[in-house]
């Protein structure tokens, strides 16, 4: 089984910064892409940022230039550095990874439980 543990959420004032972390563990042979998504009540979950095993990244339009995603392959972790936070960034943030249990077999995706980020004065 795979576990994802997210941390780093909380309350921050507009213009502030937060760093989210997500640690993957379990019977993982290989991790492919890793990403962060967010969701507010009544809306669909949306991509915030993703990073592939080669280090290439993809960002949602609303966070470009403010958020930075990174990963540590040895530690099986993904990070999201969030700067210049706005009230509209308030959401539950979810980590997602694609992984293999054995080489050459199916890729699976797995979601973390989420961590709340609230941007408010």
């Amino acid at each position: 089984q795979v576990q994802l543990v997210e941390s780093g959420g909380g309350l921050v004032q507009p213009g502030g910064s937060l760093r989210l972390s997500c640690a993957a563990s379990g019977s993982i042979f290989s991790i492919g892409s890793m990403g962060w998504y967010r969701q507010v009540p009544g809306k669909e979950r949306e991509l915030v940022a993703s990073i592939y095993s080669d280090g290439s990244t993809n960002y949602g339009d609303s966070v470009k230039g403010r958020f930075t995603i990174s990963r540590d392959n040895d530690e099986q972790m993904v990070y999201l550095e969030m700067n210049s936070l706005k009230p509209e960034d308030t959401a539950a943030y979810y980590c997602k990874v694609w992984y293999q249990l054995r080489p050459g077999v199916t890729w699976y995706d797995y979601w973390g439980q989420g961590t709340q980020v609230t941007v408010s004065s």
Side-chain angles (χ1 to χ4, degrees):
Q1 278 288 15
V2 175
Q3 296 85 39
L4 292 178
V5 178
E6 297 134 324
S7 61
L11 174 64
V12 64
Q13 292 187 341
S17 299
L18 280 176
R19 187 188 195 218
L20 304 183
S21 301
C22 175
S25 62
S27 302
I28 298 172
F29 167 74
S30 177
I31 294 179
S33 67
M34 309 178 82
W36 290 95
Y37 293 71
R38 65 187 183 187
Q39 188 172 25
V40 297
K43 292 190 176 182
E44 292 188 357
R45 195 169 293 187
E46 64 173 3
L47 172 71
V48 176
S50 60
I51 184 167
Y52 300 89
S53 55
D54 64 358
S56 59
T57 57
N58 184 40
Y59 292 93
D61 288 340
S62 62
V63 306
K64 286 179 181 177
R66 299 189 297 123
F67 292 10
T68 302
I69 190 170
S70 60
R71 63 189 284 171
D72 183 330
N73 291 326
D74 291 338
E75 298 295 328
Q76 296 185 324
M77 295 195 68
V78 61
Y79 306 96
L80 185 69
E81 187 75 34
M82 304 185 293
N83 298 314
S84 302
L85 282 161
K86 305 175 182 180
E88 51 264 44
D89 294 317
T90 296
Y93 283 71
Y94 297 88
C95 174
K96 178 181 179 180
V97 300
W98 286 89
Y99 68 97
Q100 285 179 309
L101 295 174
R102 294 185 302 280
V105 298
T106 304
W107 287 91
Y108 298 96
D109 65 325
Y110 194 82
W111 292 90
Q113 294 300 305
T115 184
Q116 180 66 34
V117 172
T118 302
V119 184
S120 175
S121 55

